[in-house]
Amino acid sequence: MCQEKDPRNDILYYARKCFSDEADALTALIPLIDDNFVKAVEMIMQCSGKVIVTGVGKSGHVGEKMAATMASLGTPSFFLNPLDAFHGDLGMISDGDVVIAISYSGYTDELLRFVPLLTERHIPIIGISGNPNSLLAQYSACHLNIQVDHEADQLNLAPTTSTTATMVMGDALACVLARLKDFRTQDFAQFHPGGTLGKRLLSRACDYMVSTDLPIVTPTTNVMDAIITISNGKLGLAIVMNHEGLLVGIITDGDVRRAIQRYRNEMFGLMVTDIMTPHPKTIRPEASLNEVDQILRRYNIHALIVTDEHDHVVGIIDSFRVMS
């Protein structure tokens, strides 16, 4: 009896083939990264204005992503639809700018009608296409070849492998430019203030710390009373301060559990000083959340005590507030 064919096998086969075809196409492009790529990077580095990316259709969609990636990595850039250039948006381009024009065929009519407007104003063009002999390549100061053998779809028609190649070429430009400009994590955060990285680098411990109703005990506080203070504080810890108001330790849920294992019934007659962790890790209010996170991870702890320049306790910041 013949076994019924499992349709999932075809699904997995064609999906994996798509991945494989596009990966092979990208690998085949590596030898095409030549002096033209170097010239394109030099043109952008020497550019006193902006990088304007343009293209139509799928190339336009990839161009929008290319411009966004460059901008986020320190190269001022934006996308311009060539059709809009004929209706006033040409004014966005000024002397000192560089244009990256994308067309896989190199013969896209809407794009080629836009190109003479740039050459008349002596705006240099970096062309990206799959045909180094195309009209776009001829108009360009330098040309980046993204030629692929075939598209990933079964009809070899839909822009798939070619758009992936275009996107990776844009990523390569953006990444190389970022390296040459010594673009750093802090710079990235400034361009992404609303993201997680921006929050960690631009926000300070004082912005997220708990600074009121802090759970505080003394070294001579009974352990039972300390447990109540920890529970009421809802931070999983209590700060241990002496009668002069100086920080001397910290007592955490973990300290309490370890004390129960060690002392059993005797622990409730102990004082905080018997089970606390002395010399707890501290941080300044102006420290970034990224610094807070690094210290928490380095010492495998869940909270830091925030102290000012006079070593006075001003708050507590824990991993939950860093991650929120």
Side-chain angles (χ1 to χ4, degrees):
M1 181 181 293
C2 296
Q3 289 186 336
E4 185 176 346
K5 187 176 180 181
D6 188 345
R8 292 177 299 177
N9 292 333
D10 283 345
I11 292 172
L12 294 174
Y13 170 78
Y14 290 122
R16 289 165 180 164
K17 185 176 186 303
C18 180
F19 272 77
S20 179
D21 287 349
E22 298 205 15
D24 290 344
L26 293 180
T27 301
L29 282 180
I30 294 176
L32 300 183
I33 303 296
D34 55 15
D35 288 342
N36 278 301
F37 187 90
V38 175
K39 185 176 180 180
V41 170
E42 290 175 344
M43 287 173 60
I44 297 173
M45 287 291 290
Q46 296 165 7
C47 167
S48 60
K50 308 169 294 298
V51 175
I52 293 92
V53 185
T54 186
V56 178
K58 300 297 188 299
S59 294
H61 297 319
V62 175
E64 290 186 67
K65 190 272 181 187
M66 189 182 299
T69 300
M70 285 190 176
S72 69
L73 289 176
T75 299
S77 178
F78 66 85
F79 176 79
L80 174 62
N81 189 315
L83 300 177
D84 294 333
F86 291 98
H87 300 281
D89 285 0
L90 190 62
M92 295 180 177
I93 303 176
S94 57
D95 294 341
D97 291 344
V98 170
V99 169
I100 297 177
I102 308 170
S103 165
Y104 184 71
S105 69
Y107 289 98
T108 303
D109 181 63
E110 298 91 338
L111 185 66
L112 291 177
R113 285 191 287 117
F114 172 50
V115 166
L117 303 178
L118 301 174
T119 56
E120 286 178 9
R121 297 177 55 186
H122 304 290
I123 304 294
I125 299 171
I126 299 170
I128 298 180
S129 84
N131 185 352
N133 299 312
S134 64
L135 282 178
L136 176 60
Q138 295 173 36
Y139 274 118
S140 302
C142 71
H143 176 262
L144 303 180
N145 189 356
I146 53 164
Q147 185 176 16
V148 297
D149 288 339
H150 59 85
E151 300 290 0
D153 76 293
Q154 63 175 346
L155 300 176
N156 191 29
L157 293 175
T160 47
T161 309
S162 59
T163 50
T164 300
T166 308
M167 188 173 297
V168 173
M169 184 66 76
D171 288 344
L173 284 171
C175 292
V176 170
L177 289 165
R179 280 187 173 272
L180 294 179
K181 294 181 178 183
D182 195 26
F183 193 77
R184 298 179 180 274
T185 305
Q186 290 81 357
D187 302 316
F188 188 88
Q190 290 180 345
F191 293 142
H192 300 75
T196 300
L197 179 60
K199 171 190 168 184
R200 289 194 174 193
L201 289 171
L202 302 179
S203 299
R204 303 298 167 189
C206 57
D207 299 324
Y208 286 84
M209 69 182 185
V210 176
S211 58
T212 59
D213 298 323
L214 297 177
I216 297 173
V217 295
T218 69
T220 57
T221 300
N222 180 270
V223 168
M224 194 64 183
D225 293 330
I227 292 174
I228 294 174
T229 300
I230 293 172
S231 179
N232 290 339
K234 298 179 180 180
L235 294 172
L237 60 85
I239 302 170
V240 185
M241 300 175 66
N242 63 20
H243 293 292
E244 286 74 40
L246 298 177
L247 175 67
V248 294
I250 188 173
I251 179 170
T252 67
D253 286 338
D255 292 323
V256 173
R257 289 194 300 272
R258 286 186 288 273
I260 292 174
Q261 290 177 327
R262 179 178 179 183
Y263 296 105
R264 302 290 178 172
N265 295 334
E266 298 176 8
M267 73 160 290
F268 294 107
L270 300 176
M271 295 184 295
V272 165
T273 189
D274 297 317
I275 69 170
M276 73 180 188
T277 300
H279 313 298
K281 303 300 178 185
T282 62
I283 199 162
R284 293 286 186 250
E286 63 273 12
S288 71
L289 290 190
N290 195 52
E291 293 176 84
V292 173
D293 184 55
Q294 288 177 356
I295 295 175
L296 293 176
R297 292 177 184 273
R298 184 186 310 153
Y299 295 102
N300 194 28
I301 55 180
H302 86 279
L304 288 170
I305 298 176
V306 185
T307 57
D308 62 18
E309 65 273 16
H310 303 296
D311 292 327
H312 294 151
V313 175
V314 295
I316 298 171
I317 186 164
D318 58 25
S319 56
F320 300 107
R321 284 161 180 77
V322 174
M323 294 186 298
S324 63

mmCIF file of all heavy atoms in Angstrom, residues 39-69:
data_model
loop_
_atom_site.group_PDB
_atom_site.id
_atom_site.type_symbol
_atom_site.label_atom_id
_atom_site.label_comp_id
_atom_site.label_asym_id
_atom_site.label_seq_id
_atom_site.Cartn_x
_atom_site.Cartn_y
_atom_site.Cartn_z
ATOM 1 N N LYS A 39 34.953 53.378 -3.906
ATOM 2 C CA LYS A 39 34.652 54.717 -4.397
ATOM 3 C C LYS A 39 33.332 55.229 -3.844
ATOM 4 O O LYS A 39 33.212 56.409 -3.477
ATOM 5 C CB LYS A 39 34.621 54.723 -5.927
ATOM 6 C CG LYS A 39 34.421 56.115 -6.522
ATOM 7 C CD LYS A 39 34.485 56.089 -8.042
ATOM 8 C CE LYS A 39 34.292 57.500 -8.612
ATOM 9 N NZ LYS A 39 34.347 57.504 -10.108
ATOM 10 N N ALA A 40 32.325 54.338 -3.776
ATOM 11 C CA ALA A 40 31.022 54.743 -3.229
ATOM 12 C C ALA A 40 31.162 55.191 -1.782
ATOM 13 O O ALA A 40 30.595 56.214 -1.377
ATOM 14 C CB ALA A 40 30.037 53.586 -3.345
ATOM 15 N N VAL A 41 31.914 54.435 -0.995
ATOM 16 C CA VAL A 41 32.121 54.796 0.410
ATOM 17 C C VAL A 41 32.852 56.129 0.509
ATOM 18 O O VAL A 41 32.487 57.005 1.319
ATOM 19 C CB VAL A 41 32.908 53.691 1.150
ATOM 20 C CG1 VAL A 41 33.324 54.168 2.539
ATOM 21 C CG2 VAL A 41 32.063 52.432 1.254
ATOM 22 N N GLU A 42 33.873 56.324 -0.313
ATOM 23 C CA GLU A 42 34.630 57.577 -0.285
ATOM 24 C C GLU A 42 33.752 58.756 -0.685
ATOM 25 O O GLU A 42 33.864 59.845 -0.105
ATOM 26 C CB GLU A 42 35.844 57.469 -1.207
ATOM 27 C CG GLU A 42 36.909 56.516 -0.682
ATOM 28 C CD GLU A 42 38.056 56.314 -1.660
ATOM 29 O OE1 GLU A 42 37.871 56.658 -2.849
ATOM 30 O OE2 GLU A 42 39.117 55.815 -1.248
ATOM 31 N N MET A 43 32.877 58.553 -1.654
ATOM 32 C CA MET A 43 31.966 59.626 -2.071
ATOM 33 C C MET A 43 31.065 60.053 -0.918
ATOM 34 O O MET A 43 30.842 61.248 -0.693
ATOM 35 C CB MET A 43 31.118 59.162 -3.263
ATOM 36 C CG MET A 43 31.865 59.079 -4.578
ATOM 37 S SD MET A 43 30.867 58.320 -5.898
ATOM 38 C CE MET A 43 29.466 59.461 -5.971
ATOM 39 N N ILE A 44 30.552 59.068 -0.195
ATOM 40 C CA ILE A 44 29.660 59.379 0.920
ATOM 41 C C ILE A 44 30.437 60.018 2.069
ATOM 42 O O ILE A 44 29.962 60.966 2.706
ATOM 43 C CB ILE A 44 28.924 58.111 1.387
ATOM 44 C CG1 ILE A 44 28.031 57.579 0.260
ATOM 45 C CG2 ILE A 44 28.086 58.394 2.628
ATOM 46 C CD1 ILE A 44 27.390 56.239 0.557
ATOM 47 N N MET A 45 31.639 59.519 2.339
ATOM 48 C CA MET A 45 32.450 60.086 3.412
ATOM 49 C C MET A 45 32.805 61.541 3.127
ATOM 50 O O MET A 45 32.873 62.373 4.034
ATOM 51 C CB MET A 45 33.725 59.263 3.594
ATOM 52 C CG MET A 45 33.519 57.912 4.247
ATOM 53 S SD MET A 45 33.040 58.036 6.001
ATOM 54 C CE MET A 45 34.568 58.636 6.726
ATOM 55 N N GLN A 46 33.038 61.868 1.856
ATOM 56 C CA GLN A 46 33.410 63.224 1.472
ATOM 57 C C GLN A 46 32.202 64.125 1.252
ATOM 58 O O GLN A 46 32.348 65.328 1.034
ATOM 59 C CB GLN A 46 34.270 63.188 0.207
ATOM 60 C CG GLN A 46 35.606 62.479 0.397
ATOM 61 C CD GLN A 46 36.288 62.128 -0.908
ATOM 62 O OE1 GLN A 46 35.845 62.516 -1.993
ATOM 63 N NE2 GLN A 46 37.377 61.363 -0.834
ATOM 64 N N CYS A 47 31.025 63.533 1.312
ATOM 65 C CA CYS A 47 29.786 64.280 1.086
ATOM 66 C C CYS A 47 29.570 65.291 2.206
ATOM 67 O O CYS A 47 29.599 64.954 3.384
ATOM 68 C CB CYS A 47 28.624 63.289 1.008
ATOM 69 S SG CYS A 47 26.996 64.036 1.100
ATOM 70 N N SER A 48 29.354 66.542 1.831
ATOM 71 C CA SER A 48 29.120 67.597 2.826
ATOM 72 C C SER A 48 27.645 67.761 3.145
ATOM 73 O O SER A 48 27.275 68.521 4.052
ATOM 74 C CB SER A 48 29.686 68.928 2.324
ATOM 75 O OG SER A 48 29.058 69.311 1.101
ATOM 76 N N GLY A 49 26.805 67.060 2.398
ATOM 77 C CA GLY A 49 25.368 67.157 2.624
ATOM 78 C C GLY A 49 24.772 65.858 3.116
ATOM 79 O O GLY A 49 25.269 65.245 4.062
ATOM 80 N N LYS A 50 23.728 65.402 2.423
ATOM 81 C CA LYS A 50 23.005 64.206 2.830
ATOM 82 C C LYS A 50 23.125 63.131 1.748
ATOM 83 O O LYS A 50 23.507 63.415 0.618
ATOM 84 C CB LYS A 50 21.518 64.541 3.043
ATOM 85 C CG LYS A 50 21.267 65.718 3.965
ATOM 86 C CD LYS A 50 19.820 66.148 3.925
ATOM 87 C CE LYS A 50 19.410 66.704 2.558
ATOM 88 N NZ LYS A 50 20.166 67.927 2.177
ATOM 89 N N VAL A 51 22.744 61.913 2.139
ATOM 90 C CA VAL A 51 22.635 60.818 1.174
ATOM 91 C C VAL A 51 21.150 60.631 0.885
ATOM 92 O O VAL A 51 20.365 60.401 1.807
ATOM 93 C CB VAL A 51 23.234 59.512 1.721
ATOM 94 C CG1 VAL A 51 22.991 58.366 0.735
ATOM 95 C CG2 VAL A 51 24.724 59.677 1.982
ATOM 96 N N ILE A 52 20.778 60.779 -0.387
ATOM 97 C CA ILE A 52 19.388 60.594 -0.788
ATOM 98 C C ILE A 52 19.286 59.273 -1.548
ATOM 99 O O ILE A 52 20.004 59.064 -2.531
ATOM 100 C CB ILE A 52 18.874 61.746 -1.672
ATOM 101 C CG1 ILE A 52 18.797 63.048 -0.871
ATOM 102 C CG2 ILE A 52 17.485 61.420 -2.202
ATOM 103 C CD1 ILE A 52 20.020 63.887 -0.939
ATOM 104 N N VAL A 53 18.448 58.383 -1.085
ATOM 105 C CA VAL A 53 18.257 57.083 -1.731
ATOM 106 C C VAL A 53 16.962 57.140 -2.531
ATOM 107 O O VAL A 53 15.943 57.647 -2.036
ATOM 108 C CB VAL A 53 18.200 55.952 -0.696
ATOM 109 C CG1 VAL A 53 18.129 54.600 -1.399
ATOM 110 C CG2 VAL A 53 19.413 56.004 0.228
ATOM 111 N N THR A 54 16.984 56.634 -3.745
ATOM 112 C CA THR A 54 15.802 56.691 -4.586
ATOM 113 C C THR A 54 15.616 55.393 -5.363
ATOM 114 O O THR A 54 16.580 54.690 -5.675
ATOM 115 C CB THR A 54 15.885 57.894 -5.565
ATOM 116 O OG1 THR A 54 14.658 58.017 -6.282
ATOM 117 C CG2 THR A 54 17.036 57.735 -6.543
ATOM 118 N N GLY A 55 14.393 55.076 -5.666
ATOM 119 C CA GLY A 55 14.057 53.867 -6.415
ATOM 120 C C GLY A 55 12.558 53.749 -6.536
ATOM 121 O O GLY A 55 11.803 54.444 -5.829
ATOM 122 N N VAL A 56 12.103 52.865 -7.416
ATOM 123 C CA VAL A 56 10.675 52.688 -7.686
ATOM 124 C C VAL A 56 10.276 51.249 -7.380
ATOM 125 O O VAL A 56 11.069 50.322 -7.582
ATOM 126 C CB VAL A 56 10.354 53.033 -9.157
ATOM 127 C CG1 VAL A 56 8.860 52.809 -9.449
ATOM 128 C CG2 VAL A 56 10.731 54.469 -9.463
ATOM 129 N N GLY A 57 9.044 51.067 -6.897
ATOM 130 C CA GLY A 57 8.538 49.720 -6.646
ATOM 131 C C GLY A 57 9.282 49.029 -5.521
ATOM 132 O O GLY A 57 9.569 49.617 -4.480
ATOM 133 N N LYS A 58 9.614 47.745 -5.743
ATOM 134 C CA LYS A 58 10.320 46.983 -4.709
ATOM 135 C C LYS A 58 11.671 47.620 -4.391
ATOM 136 O O LYS A 58 12.102 47.626 -3.245
ATOM 137 C CB LYS A 58 10.515 45.530 -5.163
ATOM 138 C CG LYS A 58 9.223 44.767 -5.453
ATOM 139 C CD LYS A 58 8.364 44.620 -4.217
ATOM 140 C CE LYS A 58 7.181 43.682 -4.482
ATOM 141 N NZ LYS A 58 6.286 44.175 -5.546
ATOM 142 N N SER A 59 12.336 48.154 -5.415
ATOM 143 C CA SER A 59 13.609 48.837 -5.176
ATOM 144 C C SER A 59 13.408 50.046 -4.273
ATOM 145 O O SER A 59 14.272 50.373 -3.448
ATOM 146 C CB SER A 59 14.226 49.285 -6.505
ATOM 147 O OG SER A 59 14.599 48.180 -7.290
ATOM 148 N N GLY A 60 12.262 50.682 -4.418
ATOM 149 C CA GLY A 60 11.950 51.814 -3.553
ATOM 150 C C GLY A 60 11.762 51.390 -2.113
ATOM 151 O O GLY A 60 12.236 52.064 -1.182
ATOM 152 N N HIS A 61 11.068 50.264 -1.920
ATOM 153 C CA HIS A 61 10.870 49.763 -0.561
ATOM 154 C C HIS A 61 12.202 49.440 0.105
ATOM 155 O O HIS A 61 12.434 49.769 1.268
ATOM 156 C CB HIS A 61 9.989 48.511 -0.582
ATOM 157 C CG HIS A 61 8.603 48.755 -1.105
ATOM 158 N ND1 HIS A 61 7.873 49.882 -0.786
ATOM 159 C CD2 HIS A 61 7.803 48.008 -1.917
ATOM 160 C CE1 HIS A 61 6.701 49.821 -1.380
ATOM 161 N NE2 HIS A 61 6.622 48.705 -2.081
ATOM 162 N N VAL A 62 13.092 48.791 -0.664
ATOM 163 C CA VAL A 62 14.414 48.483 -0.126
ATOM 164 C C VAL A 62 15.192 49.774 0.122
ATOM 165 O O VAL A 62 15.927 49.901 1.109
ATOM 166 C CB VAL A 62 15.188 47.557 -1.088
ATOM 167 C CG1 VAL A 62 16.606 47.330 -0.582
ATOM 168 C CG2 VAL A 62 14.472 46.232 -1.240
ATOM 169 N N GLY A 63 15.015 50.745 -0.774
ATOM 170 C CA GLY A 63 15.694 52.029 -0.615
ATOM 171 C C GLY A 63 15.290 52.746 0.660
ATOM 172 O O GLY A 63 16.123 53.383 1.315
ATOM 173 N N GLU A 64 14.016 52.651 1.021
ATOM 174 C CA GLU A 64 13.564 53.264 2.270
ATOM 175 C C GLU A 64 14.278 52.649 3.459
ATOM 176 O O GLU A 64 14.701 53.347 4.385
ATOM 177 C CB GLU A 64 12.050 53.093 2.413
ATOM 178 C CG GLU A 64 11.234 53.920 1.437
ATOM 179 C CD GLU A 64 9.742 53.816 1.723
ATOM 180 O OE1 GLU A 64 9.304 54.311 2.776
ATOM 181 O OE2 GLU A 64 9.031 53.231 0.887
ATOM 182 N N LYS A 65 14.414 51.320 3.438
ATOM 183 C CA LYS A 65 15.112 50.640 4.521
ATOM 184 C C LYS A 65 16.588 51.029 4.527
ATOM 185 O O LYS A 65 17.192 51.240 5.581
ATOM 186 C CB LYS A 65 14.941 49.124 4.357
ATOM 187 C CG LYS A 65 15.416 48.299 5.558
ATOM 188 C CD LYS A 65 16.877 47.945 5.466
ATOM 189 C CE LYS A 65 17.320 47.102 6.659
ATOM 190 N NZ LYS A 65 18.804 46.894 6.655
ATOM 191 N N MET A 66 17.197 51.131 3.354
ATOM 192 C CA MET A 66 18.602 51.495 3.240
ATOM 193 C C MET A 66 18.849 52.875 3.838
ATOM 194 O O MET A 66 19.809 53.076 4.600
ATOM 195 C CB MET A 66 19.019 51.475 1.767
ATOM 196 C CG MET A 66 20.511 51.630 1.540
ATOM 197 S SD MET A 66 20.945 51.655 -0.237
ATOM 198 C CE MET A 66 20.372 50.037 -0.765
ATOM 199 N N ALA A 67 17.992 53.836 3.499
ATOM 200 C CA ALA A 67 18.143 55.188 4.031
ATOM 201 C C ALA A 67 17.975 55.204 5.545
ATOM 202 O O ALA A 67 18.717 55.887 6.268
ATOM 203 C CB ALA A 67 17.127 56.122 3.370
ATOM 204 N N ALA A 68 16.999 54.432 6.046
ATOM 205 C CA ALA A 68 16.755 54.395 7.493
ATOM 206 C C ALA A 68 17.941 53.794 8.238
ATOM 207 O O ALA A 68 18.326 54.261 9.309
ATOM 208 C CB ALA A 68 15.488 53.585 7.779
ATOM 209 N N THR A 69 18.542 52.733 7.655
ATOM 210 C CA THR A 69 19.691 52.097 8.298
ATOM 211 C C THR A 69 20.883 53.043 8.331
ATOM 212 O O THR A 69 21.576 53.156 9.356
ATOM 213 C CB THR A 69 20.070 50.801 7.565
ATOM 214 O OG1 THR A 69 18.960 49.909 7.591
ATOM 215 C CG2 THR A 69 21.264 50.127 8.224
#
